[in-house]
Amino acid sequence: MVFAAPGEALARAEELLSADPSPLHASVAHQVIGIWQRDFGDTRRALAHLRRARDLAARADSAEREADVLATLGVALVHAGRTRAGLAAFEQGVARGSGHTRARVLYRRAYVWWVLGRHGEALEDVRRAIPVLRQADDVIWTARALTLRATVHLALGSVERADADFTAAEALWDTTGQEHDKADAVESRGLAAFRSGDVPAALRLLDEAEERYAKLGTPTFMLTIRRCEVLMAAGLATEALAEADAAIAVLEGIGGQSTRRAELLLVAARAARLAGEPQTSLARAAVAVRLFAGQRRTWYETHARLVLIEARVATGRGSGRLVADAATVAERLAAFGAPAAPEASLLAGRIALDLGWTADAERHLAVAARSRHSGPPLARMTGWAAQALRARAAGSARGVLEACRRGLDVLDDHRMTLGASELRARATAQGAELAALAQRASLVSGGPRRLLVWSERWRATVLSAPPTRPPADPVLLTAMTAFRELAARAEETRSDGGRPAPALEREQRRLEREIRSRTLHMRGEAPGDGDRFDVGRLLRRLGDEVRLVELAVLDGRVHVLLCGQGRVRRFEAGLLAEAEAEAEHVQAGLRRLAHPGAEARLPLVEAAGARLQHLLLGPAAAHLGSGPVVVVPPGRLHRVPWSLLPALRERVLSVSPSASSWLRARDTAAPPGGRQVLVRGPGLASGGAEIPELAERYGAARTPEDGAAWHRPPGRGYGPGGGVPGAGSSGDGIRHEANDREVRRPAAGGGVPVPATGEGTPDATTGPGSPSTVGGEHVRSPGARVAAEGADGRPPRAGAARSPGGPDRRGGPTVLEGDEARVPRVLRELDGAALAHIAAHGTFRADSPLFSSLRMADGPLIVHDFERLDRSPYRIILPCCDTARFASVGADELLGLVTALLPLGTAGVVACTAPVNDAAAVPLMLALHKGLDAGLSLAEALRDARASLPGDAVHQATGWAFTAFGAA
């Protein structure tokens, strides 16, 4: 019962002891309490109860009972770090028991051998135990033995043997009521899925096991260790470190198993190294090595020494001594049959190369390279990395590029098994070394074209294919609805001047974890090559007028690849670190300029823009020609306001995460029907003042059957005192994130000022009785085309002739505001639209980018919601703060709202990277739509809209904060 219903078993055992039982029965009760304390509580208490159980068994003169207790005591002693005493207890147990009892003792000793990392002895003992247990028809213990044997096979890399044993064990568990053991079986299947390279299945099974354990009320630290391993493989090292450290704190708080503490320290050390925290890794690994040595667990100690050496190298401590240490670790791991042996050989070879010891490096790298043809994806990538380093040491650029290509192909196949865009993005970090090696080799021999190909090979790869559409999972949908409702309640509480109750915040965080967890379970489509980047195709599409500027970073320096006029040229610019620092200064300046009264900072921001140009474009700035420019920056420069750079300020300018994604956007056809959607979320300082004006521009009138029409209410036009508040006026609202509560005061005459058709002159107001409502009712109409289309169904290219008849005005836009602007309705209307304009508070979540959101009437519209669209809007305009902010993850990937839209059918986005002045954003948006109405592209319309703004600091900063992404 202690593994079927642990809490009930503990209570029954304590009840039995209070009834003055016989020595035999008391021995059983103390053993049960000892098992409970050993696995779920205090190890010291466990040892006390188990010693008492052993003594009572001896008093009862039952050799079989004594042998059974000795086996349980042996496990507890080993987990307490007293390995010698534990093995001695097993020797006594094997000698005292016979037949069926001895088989159970052997099974538990096999488990201890596995804990100690002595897999050969574990397989021998379990091999002796299984036939006897089967002959005795002991279903539960046979299933346990099969599960253990499978786990040992996994540790040795024998996935197929493990699968067979897990399958057999699971069939037996289905005939029992052993709930804890069933949960353990699910956990084991998760481990098997991980070892075979199926990360989504591993996460799903481990989460299911966690739910099962939670119902039993039994903490399990082994599950945490395994989950952390999977999280690290998925690129979520920071999360793995947090989980491991939290488990260590809990374990130490209850006086739990010393063996588990050492294992958790090891996994925390690995996670810290992968998360870029080498000092933390050093500290955790050093303690783990000491604990494993004291526990006589050589297998684990050797793995901990590998992490310790990796951490020392990461802190810049490469030396000949470390080469020898890594080589020794590699030899020991190979002798153990551990799958990590190639990693240690690669490490030894890498250190030797850095020291210039080419002969030693070749020896170690040759050993590591053997793993490139077999095993799970990450092991094969280790082998290809070793092969690439061998080729570099031999001076073979061709060999380097071939090895890098093969290794990244392995990563691509692995990546495409992941359904969640977050996992796909983070997984690319595992190919960063290969991509960097290939770029360096291309730079040395191959010219700018080859460097461009390799720059594209690992840039924004997540955008190369749409993410797997989230399943119609009722639990997931319910969680997202509940999350939205809670977030809306929390927002309402904050708006009233308070803060949400702690219970509300905890539940919101729990729902976030559940949504994210279920999303990470999604499997990707079958691996495929997709479209390979073709430089010739890019140059043909660019023609003679358009220039594409791709920035590649090699060894910390920016290299500018200027594409256009049928060729690719390379220029060297500044240091990436200096450019990043300058970009942060510019961001701070733009934030300040969003508020009136900061005019003195405008020259400083403009000067910073000139410095940025020198660092990012260098001499290439003089070769941009006079036509449109497409900038393809690395992920770490995603917050640069590119239109601030002097050479780009007056240009038709767009930004793309990669040249490949620009080509895809360029080839994306607009949807039929030209449907437009205008959305106004709650709480904006301006009230989304551009929406009514845009509705009129696009012909939002009710049909005769509707009995109403958009109109401008009497007395709401502008006379003296009207107009758009400029710098220094009372209208200084800022379009901040959702946690900003600044509300702009109304202009004279009431309402919120709205400029007319992009000219910057006052025209109408909103507020009660505004054009958005008639008689208190929401007014909307069917969609219509937003802009003239070329013969190919797309908006005309830059410089193309405009349609003389202007846009098709057969209908009007769909306008969603007030209670109509609820997430389900908004998503329904956005799906397949030609143009969407969403005026709503934006919130960027650096801690969890896919929970970045736009605030709707019923709560946040998050990135996960957009991923449910069959096709996102062809063009989308987001006049909201921070909608163009991203989290840079993986090798060179971006996670955020814009990058979620691009693979889903959106060809062009206008969004901003900084808080903007609410009043100044309104005329910019109206001028932008005026250009679209005339048939311009987003980039052309944004350029013209900036030029139409007043020359004061607030309006200029607002224009610079917005960027056009894509090619529509």
Side-chain angles (χ1 to χ4, degrees), residues 68 103 116 153 187 257 269 475 523 889 947:
D68 196 77
L116 296 174
H153 282 317
E187 177 186 339
Q257 299 170 355
V475 178
R523 280 191 58 80
V889 301

Side-chain angles (χ1 to χ4, degrees), residues 533-548 563-566 628 630 659-660 662-669 792 794-795 797-798 967:
F533 175 68
D534 182 348
V535 177
R537 177 169 168 254
L538 172 68
L539 293 174
R540 288 192 298 273
R541 298 309 301 269
L542 290 173
D544 293 332
E545 297 298 320
V546 184
R547 299 288 188 277
L548 184 140
C563 310
Q565 292 184 311
V630 181
S660 299
W662 181 81
L663 281 171
R664 281 190 299 277
R666 187 71 186 80
D667 291 340
T668 300
D792 58 357
R794 297 191 304 273
R797 294 189 299 276

Side-chain angles (χ1 to χ4, degrees), residues 676-678 694-696 698-701 710 780-784 811-815:
Q676 307 139 349
V677 180
L678 307 176
L694 293 177
E696 288 198 28
Y698 292 124
W710 281 85
R780 61 184 181 84
S781 308
T814 298
V815 181

Side-chain angles (χ1 to χ4, degrees), residues 836 838 854 876-880 883 897-898 901 909-912 925 962:
I838 306 178
L854 302 172
I876 187 165
I877 298 168
L878 301 169
C880 330
T883 45
L897 184 55
V898 172
L901 294 167
V909 181
V910 168
C912 68
M925 290 298 102
F962 281 90

Side-chain angles (χ1 to χ4, degrees), residues 390-566:
R390 291 179 73 196
R392 190 185 73 172
S396 172
R398 182 177 179 180
V400 171
L401 295 176
E402 175 63 14
C404 292
R405 182 184 67 79
R406 298 284 295 275
L408 290 175
D409 283 347
V410 171
L411 178 60
D412 282 344
D413 286 347
H414 167 65
R415 218 170 27 83
M416 293 308 293
T417 67
L418 308 174
S421 54
E422 179 180 1
L423 288 189
R424 288 184 182 180
R426 295 186 184 278
T428 59
Q430 292 146 349
E433 181 184 19
L434 287 170
L437 284 169
Q439 284 185 303
R440 292 191 195 101
S442 300
L443 185 64
V444 172
S445 62
R449 283 198 178 210
R450 181 174 286 178
L451 180 57
L452 176 62
V453 168
W454 280 101
S455 178
E456 281 292 300
R457 181 68 176 80
W458 74 320
R459 183 189 296 268
T461 58
V462 171
L463 304 185
S464 63
T468 300
R469 197 162 181 264
D473 177 357
V475 178
L476 175 60
L477 294 175
T478 299
M480 291 180 74
T481 301
F483 165 76
R484 193 172 298 119
E485 291 173 353
L486 278 174
R489 285 168 55 194
E491 179 64 29
E492 184 178 353
T493 305
R494 280 190 290 264
S495 299
D496 292 341
R499 56 172 299 169
L504 192 67
E505 293 180 330
R506 282 195 301 271
E507 179 63 9
Q508 188 174 338
R509 288 193 296 270
R510 185 194 69 77
L511 287 167
E512 277 190 22
R513 288 194 299 271
E514 182 175 346
I515 293 166
R516 185 163 178 264
S517 174
R518 288 191 168 270
T519 303
L520 297 183
H521 296 169
M522 295 187 303
R523 280 191 58 80
E525 305 298 330
D529 291 336
D531 292 330
R532 290 294 186 186
F533 175 68
D534 182 348
V535 177
R537 177 169 168 254
L538 172 68
L539 293 174
R540 288 192 298 273
R541 298 309 301 269
L542 290 173
D544 293 332
E545 297 298 320
V546 184
R547 299 288 188 277
L548 184 140
V549 178
E550 179 148 331
L551 305 183
V553 179
L554 281 80
D555 299 321
R557 182 167 293 279
V558 177
H559 293 256
V560 183
L561 298 171
L562 180 59
C563 310
Q565 292 184 311

Side-chain angles (χ1 to χ4, degrees), residues 898-924:
V898 172
T899 54
L901 294 167
L902 291 177
L904 293 171
T906 293
V909 181
V910 168
C912 68
T913 61
V916 292
N917 186 280
D918 217 7
V922 172
L924 179 72

Side-chain angles (χ1 to χ4, degrees), residues 327-353:
T328 300
V329 166
E331 290 172 4
R332 289 180 180 173
L333 290 173
F336 292 141
E343 294 178 32
S345 293
L346 174 60
L347 178 62
R350 189 182 285 121
I351 303 169
L353 267 185

Side-chain angles (χ1 to χ4, degrees), residues 235-430:
L236 302 170
T238 302
E239 288 184 33
L241 176 59
E243 288 198 22
D245 280 348
I248 290 168
V250 171
L251 190 68
E252 291 175 344
I254 64 173
Q257 299 170 355
S258 173
T259 52
R260 291 289 179 257
R261 178 170 177 261
E263 292 163 26
L264 283 164
L265 283 165
L266 171 57
V267 82
R270 288 186 57 223
R273 181 184 62 77
L274 293 172
E277 299 183 28
Q279 294 297 339
T280 302
S281 181
L282 269 175
R284 303 284 193 280
V287 178
V289 167
R290 188 167 64 250
L291 285 173
F292 286 132
Q295 296 163 2
R296 304 175 71 181
R297 301 171 72 188
T298 310
W299 191 86
Y300 283 98
E301 180 190 350
T302 307
H303 281 80
R305 288 192 183 279
L306 172 60
V307 179
L308 188 63
I309 297 168
E310 289 173 333
R312 284 174 176 160
V313 171
T315 59
R317 302 185 189 179
S319 66
R321 173 65 181 273
L322 285 183
V323 174
D325 289 347
T328 300
V329 166
E331 290 172 4
R332 289 180 180 173
L333 290 173
F336 292 141
E343 294 178 32
S345 293
L346 174 60
L347 178 62
R350 189 182 285 121
I351 303 169
L353 267 185
D354 290 341
L355 295 172
W357 297 2
T358 54
D360 291 294
E362 167 60 24
R363 186 173 68 256
H364 298 306
L365 292 173
V367 173
R370 294 173 192 160
S371 68
R372 67 188 186 275
H373 295 304
S374 61
L378 300 185
R380 282 180 281 148
M381 285 187 61
T382 295
W384 285 115
Q387 186 68 8
L389 289 173
R390 291 179 73 196
R392 190 185 73 172
S396 172
R398 182 177 179 180
V400 171
L401 295 176
E402 175 63 14
C404 292
R405 182 184 67 79
R406 298 284 295 275
L408 290 175
D409 283 347
V410 171
L411 178 60
D412 282 344
D413 286 347
H414 167 65
R415 218 170 27 83
M416 293 308 293
T417 67
L418 308 174
S421 54
E422 179 180 1
L423 288 189
R424 288 184 182 180
R426 295 186 184 278
T428 59
Q430 292 146 349

